[in-house]
Amino acid sequence: MKFSKSSKVSHPAQKVLDLMINRMDEIVPFLPNVESIELRAREELGDGRIRIVRYWQGAASNVPSALRPFVSREAMGWIDTALWKPDEYRVDWQMSTTMSAFYECSGTNYFEPYPGDEDAATRVRVGGDLVIHADKLPGIPTFLGSRLAPQVEKFVVALLTPNMEDLAKGLQAYFDEHAG
C-alpha cells in the first residue's frame, strides 16, 4: 500500500537537508513518538551520495496503553537505511526491524525548496510503500493472512501518517527554536 504526505517548513531547504543528513538526532526532542536516533554507519559514496544507517527507538507512548505490556522495547525500534542525494534534495530509504520478514517498507523523501518560496521554505514530501507478507504472519493460516493483509496495511499506514506529519512539525519547531 502506497502512502505519502507533503508539508511545508518555513525554513530554507539547504538548512533542513543539512540537519536531516548530518544532525538528525538533534530533532528527537521535537518528535513525540521517538525516544532516540543513533547513527550506526555513514559512507560517502562519490558523486555526492551518502549512505547512512540509523537506529530509531520509538517511544512506548506510541503504543495504545492496553497493548504496552505485550510490546517489547525492541519491537518499537527500527533500522533506517538511507541513500541521500543532496543535489536532488532526496533520500531513498528502507526500514527494517526484527519483524521485517512479515513486511517490506521503503520509499523516497524530498526536502526541497518550496515552490514559490524557494529561498525561505522547504517542501517535505514523504512517500513510501508498505507490503505485508501475509504468508509469513505467525500463527495465521495463509488463506486468512492474505485476506487480512490489506486491512493490516491500512491500519499500519494510518499509524504512519501522524508520524510523517510529526517529522515536518518537528523540523519546524527545531528551526523556530534555533533561529538566529
Side-chain angles (χ1 to χ4, degrees), residues 5-34 37 54 56 84 89 91 109-114 120-126 162-180:
K5 180 70 179 168
S6 182
S7 305
K8 182 178 183 178
V9 175
S10 62
H11 296 276
Q14 199 56 51
K15 285 187 173 185
V16 172
L17 190 65
D18 177 67
L19 177 68
M20 293 299 295
I21 294 172
N22 298 309
R23 304 180 330 274
M24 190 183 289
D25 59 304
E26 292 181 23
I27 65 170
V28 169
F30 303 94
L31 300 175
N33 295 320
V34 177
I37 302 173
R54 292 185 171 107
W56 292 59
W84 289 90
Y89 299 94
V91 60
N109 299 348
Y110 293 88
F111 301 88
E112 59 199 356
Y114 197 87
T122 303
R123 178 170 59 184
V124 177
R125 291 189 295 145
V126 177
N163 289 336
M164 290 185 274
E165 292 169 357
D166 286 346
L167 175 60
K169 288 177 185 175
L171 287 165
Q172 182 70 49
Y174 173 88
F175 282 109
D176 287 351
E177 185 172 295
H178 293 88

Side-chain angles (χ1 to χ4, degrees), residues 127-178:
D129 194 20
L130 172 71
V131 177
I132 301 292
H133 298 291
D135 58 324
K136 296 180 181 176
L137 293 171
I140 298 177
T142 301
F143 77 92
L144 183 57
S146 61
R147 288 188 177 171
L148 290 175
Q151 287 78 18
V152 172
E153 288 173 354
K154 286 179 188 175
F155 174 74
V156 173
V157 167
L159 291 175
L160 288 173
T161 303
N163 289 336
M164 290 185 274
E165 292 169 357
D166 286 346
L167 175 60
K169 288 177 185 175
L171 287 165
Q172 182 70 49
Y174 173 88
F175 282 109
D176 287 351
E177 185 172 295
H178 293 88

Side-chain angles (χ1 to χ4, degrees), residues 52-155:
I52 299 176
V53 178
R54 292 185 171 107
Y55 179 78
W56 292 59
Q57 181 60 57
S61 60
N62 200 28
V63 177
S65 57
L67 296 178
R68 286 182 194 155
F70 307 104
V71 178
S72 69
R73 179 171 170 77
E74 181 181 82
M76 295 295 301
W78 64 95
I79 301 285
D80 169 27
T81 302
L83 180 61
W84 289 90
K85 300 173 184 175
D87 59 332
E88 298 177 28
Y89 299 94
R90 170 186 175 148
V91 60
D92 298 315
W93 56 268
Q94 182 175 0
M95 185 175 79
S96 59
T97 69
T98 56
M99 298 172 23
S100 291
F102 310 123
Y103 71 90
E104 293 174 36
C105 191
S106 61
T108 300
N109 299 348
Y110 293 88
F111 301 88
E112 59 199 356
Y114 197 87
D117 197 7
E118 290 85 359
D119 295 333
T122 303
R123 178 170 59 184
V124 177
R125 291 189 295 145
V126 177
D129 194 20
L130 172 71
V131 177
I132 301 292
H133 298 291
D135 58 324
K136 296 180 181 176
L137 293 171
I140 298 177
T142 301
F143 77 92
L144 183 57
S146 61
R147 288 188 177 171
L148 290 175
Q151 287 78 18
V152 172
E153 288 173 354
K154 286 179 188 175
F155 174 74

